[in-house]
Amino acid sequence: MKQGLSLRVSQHLALTPQLQQSIRLLQLSTLELGQEVQQMLDENPFLEANPDDVPDLPGPAQADARPAGDEADEPMGVSAAASESRLSDAEAESAEPAADAEPGWEGDGSVETVPDDAEWGGDAPARQKSSGGDDEVEAADLASSHESLQDHLHRQALGLRLGEEDRAALRFLIESLNDDGYLEDSLQALAESLSAHDLEEQEELVHRFTVALGLLQSLEPAGVGARDLAECLDLQLRVLEQEDPDDEVVPLARRICRQPMDLLARRDIRKLAQACGDTEAQVRLAIARITRLEPKPGRRFVDAERHIIVPDVIVTQSGRGPRASFRVQLNPDVMPRLRVHDVYAGALKTHKGEGHQALQQRLQEARWFIKNIQQRFDTILRVSTAIVERQRNFFVHGELAMRPLVLREIADELGLHESTISRVTTAKYMATPFGTFELKYFFGSALGTETGGNASSTAVRALIKQFVAAESPKKPLSDSQISDMLKEQGIECARRTVAKYREALRIAPANLRKAL
């Protein structure tokens, strides 16, 4: 083998740590961003939060979406500080972050984007928290003060006269319940978890747990402590039977619950009537009684705070009809108020002793973190504004007027990559006059129409939901009938596509929607 030297020239993209951080911050949800900010505040001494410092600044970053023909009241543009804070073209292309905003752009109407750079700039003070989130704060306080299922049951258990061991066994079972109020583990498994090797002690624990389970299932709400759905329904029916012993439907309903649950799920009236030895008319009455029971007794005790969605973007409307205008602005309650610590940064300039290089790097990290967060919210604002422009009919007429939209259209309009739009629209929410929606909600595939145009899949789903809401309970619409009704509206939609959309809307099939 002959040895030799060769020179090769190649190009490759490298993601710097700053670009990696920018991409990661862009795809974080509001909750995850708050955790990331808190962690950075704990680790970096040059970064501080100062919500009490109130500079004389304009309102939050916002954009106006106006109908065609209206002129903007103010000149469009982005401050120089915002442009300087963005990444270079080469870096932006490799990392797919937001590209530099143009001085202005026009679509169906004029749009003005004015990020508040004074709030984000390296050493600038932060704006005071807006008072517009009082309702959300009250909702969070209400959720945090909500009584849990375990607390509710412990409070009832205090009124029972029990020995120390029975009280401990009842407490253990209460703490073993899941959020729905079910006891997922068997009594034997719970006993083995407390005493893995002593068989006699296990038998004693099973006996204690059996007694405690009977006490637990007698507490409110009815059905709590059940091991499965059939037992949960039976416990609730037993309470109804005690309240009204003369009701003949409840005993039949209890016998139905002892049958295989798939018969009840399919509403197989004939087989249930044969198994229970009663008439089909009585079985229908019993099933109607069962459908009014609560399959998840612990549902109303679930902590509501986890279900509160705080929007990242707020859309407000002014005017009505075709002349309506929409203002898109970032929610000030989710925007971190950060700045570089002036005292530490000033001391670093005068002190160049040991460790100066490491401290200088930490200072640079703090500045990059502030700029990357600014870029994250700037990108969210730009994408949200483009969505409002494209889906203007939705904000005027509702979801039936939604137009087809794919990520590529927004990406081409803003000069970004599709993956960047995907990151921006995931786990980010927009508050609109029609409710709060994830940004991905406004994107939908296109279905062909008889006129050669396209209809949004979101609008088709809304139309299916409207058809089902207006159907006769005694004769619900099948998927084929819904497909035919859509064709009458000029929308080509196959039966299997209707079934897919119906399942996505969590609408039961026709045989389960039929009134009893």
Side-chain angles (χ1 to χ4, degrees):
M1 180 182 292
K2 184 178 179 180
Q3 294 181 349
L5 296 176
S6 62
L7 182 64
R8 179 182 302 172
V9 179
S10 62
Q11 293 181 339
H12 66 279
L13 297 177
L15 292 179
T16 64
Q18 292 82 5
L19 292 176
Q20 294 177 15
Q21 183 187 69
S22 177
I23 295 174
R24 187 165 52 84
L25 291 177
L26 188 62
Q27 65 187 9
L28 294 180
S29 65
T30 300
L31 179 60
E32 294 169 338
L33 178 65
Q35 296 173 349
E36 184 75 15
V37 169
Q38 187 59 47
Q39 180 180 354
M40 185 62 70
L41 287 171
D42 294 338
E43 295 177 353
N44 197 319
F46 292 97
L47 197 64
E48 69 169 345
N50 191 2
D52 297 328
D53 200 350
V54 190
D56 186 15
L57 298 176
Q62 59 190 17
D64 290 339
R66 299 180 175 86
D70 285 0
E71 296 297 332
D73 295 333
E74 299 175 3
M76 295 176 288
V78 179
S79 63
S83 300
E84 293 174 358
S85 68
R86 304 185 191 280
L87 305 178
S88 65
D89 294 339
E91 292 173 332
E93 184 177 358
S94 63
E96 305 161 3
D100 288 349
E102 297 294 332
W105 57 273
E106 295 183 359
D108 297 334
S110 59
V111 174
E112 178 186 1
T113 306
V114 189
D116 189 355
D117 279 288
E119 178 176 340
W120 297 99
D123 301 334
R127 182 172 60 238
Q128 190 178 25
K129 184 176 179 180
S130 171
S131 60
D134 292 342
D135 294 339
E136 294 170 0
V137 173
E138 292 177 2
D141 293 341
L142 180 61
S144 62
S145 63
H146 196 279
E147 185 181 38
S148 66
L149 175 63
Q150 281 73 17
D151 293 339
H152 182 70
L153 295 174
H154 286 316
R155 185 163 50 82
Q156 295 180 69
L158 294 176
L160 301 177
R161 294 185 177 181
L162 301 176
E164 183 177 348
E165 294 181 352
D166 290 335
R167 187 176 299 278
L170 177 58
R171 184 176 185 83
F172 185 79
L173 290 185
I174 291 176
E175 293 297 329
S176 301
L177 297 176
N178 62 14
D179 290 341
D180 295 331
Y182 284 84
L183 189 63
E184 295 178 331
D185 299 323
S186 65
L187 300 183
Q188 182 65 36
L190 293 175
E192 291 176 357
S193 66
L194 295 178
S195 179
H197 304 291
D198 193 336
L199 296 180
E200 293 184 0
E201 187 176 356
Q202 288 181 17
E203 293 179 358
E204 176 65 20
L205 287 173
V206 170
H207 173 70
R208 295 288 183 185
F209 287 155
T210 303
V211 176
L213 181 61
L215 295 172
L216 173 59
Q217 293 179 347
S218 66
L219 300 179
E220 195 275 335
V224 71
R227 272 73 61 87
D228 52 41
L229 177 60
E231 185 179 12
C232 178
L233 299 176
D234 186 68
L235 289 172
Q236 297 179 59
L237 290 170
R238 186 171 64 185
V239 174
L240 295 178
E241 190 175 32
Q242 294 173 355
E243 294 176 351
D244 188 3
D246 298 331
D247 193 342
E248 298 179 355
V249 177
V250 175
L252 175 58
R254 295 190 65 184
R255 293 199 300 273
I256 291 176
C257 290
R258 298 189 186 102
Q259 304 302 321
M261 293 304 293
D262 60 332
L263 295 178
L264 180 60
R266 296 198 308 267
R267 299 187 181 183
D268 196 333
I269 306 297
R270 183 175 300 176
K271 289 186 178 180
L272 287 174
Q274 293 175 355
C276 298
D278 215 317
T279 64
E280 293 185 6
Q282 287 295 106
V283 169
R284 288 190 176 91
L285 292 176
I287 294 179
R289 185 67 59 87
I290 292 174
T291 56
R292 293 198 293 267
L293 302 177
E294 174 56 73
K296 298 180 179 180
R299 189 202 307 264
R300 63 186 175 95
F301 295 94
V302 176
D303 186 4
E305 187 173 4
R306 74 180 75 175
H307 302 298
I308 295 177
I309 295 177
V310 180
D312 300 85
V313 181
I314 300 174
V315 179
T316 56
Q317 178 180 352
S318 60
R320 293 183 177 275
R323 305 294 294 178
S325 62
F326 301 92
R327 168 156 296 192
V328 185
Q329 63 180 9
L330 296 172
N331 185 359
D333 293 327
V334 301
M335 298 169 64
R337 278 80 176 175
L338 301 175
R339 69 173 186 178
V340 173
H341 201 295
D342 297 335
V343 176
Y344 292 167
L348 185 62
K349 293 179 181 179
T350 59
H351 175 71
K352 297 186 185 277
E354 183 180 357
H356 175 79
Q357 187 65 28
L359 292 176
Q360 186 68 33
Q361 182 178 358
R362 298 295 285 177
L363 176 60
Q364 186 63 27
E365 289 177 1
R367 288 173 174 164
W368 266 106
F369 187 73
I370 292 174
K371 290 182 179 181
N372 286 336
I373 290 183
Q374 175 194 7
Q375 182 170 312
R376 174 188 186 273
F377 281 99
D378 288 348
T379 307
I380 292 175
L381 178 63
R382 295 177 64 211
V383 172
S384 301
T385 304
I387 290 175
V388 173
E389 287 289 338
R390 292 288 184 122
Q391 299 291 5
R392 177 180 174 77
N393 289 336
F394 165 80
F395 293 94
V396 176
H397 304 291
E399 57 184 353
L400 288 175
M402 189 83 76
R403 57 163 290 182
L405 183 65
V406 294
L407 298 176
R408 189 185 308 108
E409 295 182 44
I410 301 296
D412 293 343
E413 180 178 337
L414 300 181
L416 304 175
H417 195 274
E418 286 184 48
S419 61
T420 303
I421 306 299
S422 178
R423 293 187 181 98
V424 171
T425 56
T426 301
K428 315 296 189 304
Y429 295 89
M430 177 186 292
T432 72
F434 294 98
T436 301
F437 304 93
E438 188 179 13
L439 293 184
K440 278 191 178 296
Y441 171 80
F442 299 96
F443 295 85
S445 57
L447 296 176
T449 62
E450 292 181 353
T451 59
N454 292 322
S456 170
S457 59
T458 306
V460 174
R461 284 195 291 266
L463 201 56
I464 293 174
K465 187 163 55 176
Q466 191 177 81
F467 289 157
V468 172
E471 69 184 3
S472 172
K474 295 183 179 180
K475 193 176 181 181
L477 299 171
S478 64
D479 294 339
S480 298
Q481 291 174 320
I482 295 176
S483 177
D484 294 338
M485 295 175 68
L486 289 173
K487 289 180 181 178
E488 293 176 1
Q489 300 286 336
I491 301 173
E492 298 293 335
C493 188
R495 182 194 60 81
R496 283 184 290 184
T497 306
V498 171
K500 182 181 71 172
Y501 289 164
R502 177 181 52 75
E503 292 174 359
L505 293 171
R506 297 184 179 180
I507 298 176
N511 63 320
L512 296 182
R513 298 200 309 272
K514 188 174 182 179
L516 298 174

